[in-house]
Amino acid sequence: MSILVVQIPSRPRQPSAAAAETGAIRASSEYSYVMSPDGLAIGAHGSCAPALLPHADSVVAVLADADVAWHRITLPKAPSARLRAALVGVLEDALLDEADATHLALAPGAATGQPVWVAATHKPWLLAELTTLEKAGVEVERVVPSSWPDDPPSGHFTETPDRDAADTSRIRLTWSHADGVACLNLQGTMARALIARAQEQPVRWTATPAVAAPAERWLGAPVIVMPPEQRALLAARSLWNLRQFDLAPSHRGARALRDAWLRFLSPAWRPVRWGLIGLAALNILGLNLWALHQHKAIEGKQQAMIDVLRTTFPKVPTPGYETALQMQRQTDLLRTAAGRAGDDDLESLLQAAATAWPQDRSPVEALTFEPGRLTLAATGWNVDQIEQFRSQLRPAGWVVESEGGRLTVRRAARGGAS
């Protein structure tokens, strides 16, 4: 999965006069980027306008070291909807800007009641940068810091914007350790003091190519050369995500579906698409063959029923589709000619009712007959008597219905329905 890492330029600490008058925050017009096919190797890098940024499956924005402040607190217990307000209450005295102008984000894996790092950055500025990218069609999924509190400590040397300064005057040290992140100039004693305290534990020293040599002279030890694009890609692989609370990306489900669809249409997925098309074609062919087989089986059973009808009743005209009905009619005619009562006749219904009639009940007072149904007066019957009458007739295939002091006896419908 390809990843586009966009480096957000450092926030200007001294806005222009026009911006100061209007109160507007001007977003960057050009962004440095790193394109990676797998999140590990660098495929391409450069700098361009937002609309010219290359397309990728995932987009991660990286903030500069000096644009993120760090605070260590014990995470308060609060519902998700009120968690940010709880954080503001805890950090109110430590924030440099107004609470409404500060964006807060929790470290990965933060747990209630446990110490946790909180990242703070200028909210209007970050929102303006994200809006500029999204208007250009660049949907930023995550925002990560370039460095974060870590143990063992690490130091990274970069050049300052003033490239005309001499030697160490143009070098800045980003010191990441267990107690936070500090951005220091090499002039003065503070940087030396931090390094002296870290001599007892291993430190990973890195530097951009432009300042690697003077950084080694100042440090008195070798450093690993790390270009800005490599450091940005390394930051993108972290678990941090500053897009939380009101800056959390919206419509995640729709974006995920869109990204999945675009990935499915990519050339890398062409064999999968052909495989799915072939599988669908095989399924359609198989369903048609199975339907043809079932159709022939049904036709065979219908023909077998017609053959039985012709053999048993040779005088019947050419049978149609209602073979079973014609056979039933012929059987009923033979039964009637032989003088035997059928299931729908009064004699069969009376005989069935008599076999289950309770001994403690007097003979029936009134009855009504219609073909296939016998209705008996059952005034005064209790529930146990009705259930006993029904249970005795059920094994023989009779159905008893009780309503309004009457019992109706009928033969259960063929096929098991009652």
Side-chain angles (χ1 to χ4, degrees), residues 157-182:
F157 297 94
T158 58
E159 61 268 28
T160 62
D162 185 9
R163 297 180 181 271
D164 295 332
D167 204 23
T168 59
S169 300
R170 64 185 180 91
I171 301 178
R172 177 181 299 166
L173 170 63
T174 301
W175 177 248
S176 304
H177 55 118
D179 296 327
V181 177

Side-chain angles (χ1 to χ4, degrees), residues 233-267:
L233 185 59
L234 184 65
R237 295 205 296 266
S238 71
L239 298 179
W240 280 93
N241 184 12
L242 304 189
R243 296 209 69 171
Q244 301 179 26
F245 304 117
D246 49 350
L247 290 188
S250 58
H251 308 297
R252 292 182 179 178
R255 184 181 294 111
L257 289 175
R258 185 199 64 185
D259 293 343
W261 177 249
L262 292 176
R263 192 178 306 115
F264 179 74
L265 295 179
S266 65

Side-chain angles (χ1 to χ4, degrees), residues 2-56:
S2 60
I3 296 178
L4 174 65
V5 183
V6 180
Q7 178 71 56
I8 304 295
S10 297
R11 180 171 71 92
R13 298 310 193 265
Q14 295 180 352
S16 62
E21 290 180 3
T22 60
I25 296 180
R26 188 181 184 90
S28 304
S29 58
E30 193 172 83
Y31 296 87
S32 298
Y33 70 89
V34 181
M35 188 70 180
S36 173
D38 54 5
L40 300 175
I42 297 176
H45 64 89
S47 181
C48 64
L52 301 178
L53 288 171
H55 296 285

Side-chain angles (χ1 to χ4, degrees), residues 168-326:
T168 59
S169 300
R170 64 185 180 91
I171 301 178
R172 177 181 299 166
L173 170 63
T174 301
W175 177 248
S176 304
H177 55 118
D179 296 327
V181 177
C183 295
L184 307 167
N185 292 321
L186 298 189
Q187 303 300 315
T189 60
M190 183 176 293
R192 290 290 185 186
L194 289 176
I195 294 175
R197 285 188 292 176
Q199 293 298 327
E200 298 180 356
Q201 51 185 327
V203 180
R204 184 171 184 264
W205 298 104
T206 58
T208 58
V211 299
E216 288 182 344
R217 288 194 297 268
W218 181 87
L219 184 63
V223 299
I224 301 173
V225 178
M226 180 177 290
E229 55 271 13
Q230 185 178 349
R231 188 167 185 250
L233 185 59
L234 184 65
R237 295 205 296 266
S238 71
L239 298 179
W240 280 93
N241 184 12
L242 304 189
R243 296 209 69 171
Q244 301 179 26
F245 304 117
D246 49 350
L247 290 188
S250 58
H251 308 297
R252 292 182 179 178
R255 184 181 294 111
L257 289 175
R258 185 199 64 185
D259 293 343
W261 177 249
L262 292 176
R263 192 178 306 115
F264 179 74
L265 295 179
S266 65
W269 282 70
R270 185 177 292 111
V272 178
R273 293 197 298 271
W274 281 111
L276 291 176
I277 293 174
L279 182 61
L282 287 176
N283 276 306
I284 294 174
L285 179 61
L287 287 174
N288 282 301
L289 292 176
W290 178 252
L292 180 61
H293 171 73
Q294 292 294 320
H295 181 68
K296 290 183 177 180
I298 292 174
E299 287 183 343
K301 291 181 179 180
Q302 291 176 345
Q303 186 61 42
M305 294 176 63
I306 292 174
D307 294 341
V308 171
L309 179 60
R310 285 175 174 171
T311 303
T312 308
F313 304 104
K315 297 182 179 181
V316 176
T318 303
Y321 289 102
E322 299 179 350
T323 307
L325 180 59
Q326 293 186 36

Side-chain angles (χ1 to χ4, degrees), residues 21-109:
E21 290 180 3
T22 60
I25 296 180
R26 188 181 184 90
S28 304
S29 58
E30 193 172 83
Y31 296 87
S32 298
Y33 70 89
V34 181
M35 188 70 180
S36 173
D38 54 5
L40 300 175
I42 297 176
H45 64 89
S47 181
C48 64
L52 301 178
L53 288 171
H55 296 285
D57 299 325
S58 177
V59 180
V60 180
V62 180
L63 301 185
D65 298 299
D67 290 331
V68 182
W70 299 94
H71 304 278
R72 183 76 162 175
I73 65 169
T74 298
L75 186 62
K77 183 178 181 181
S80 300
R82 298 185 57 83
L83 182 56
R84 186 189 181 279
L87 295 177
V88 171
V90 175
L91 294 170
E92 186 174 6
D93 296 334
L95 297 178
L96 299 178
D97 292 324
E98 295 294 331
D100 293 340
T102 303
H103 174 65
L104 303 176
L106 294 172

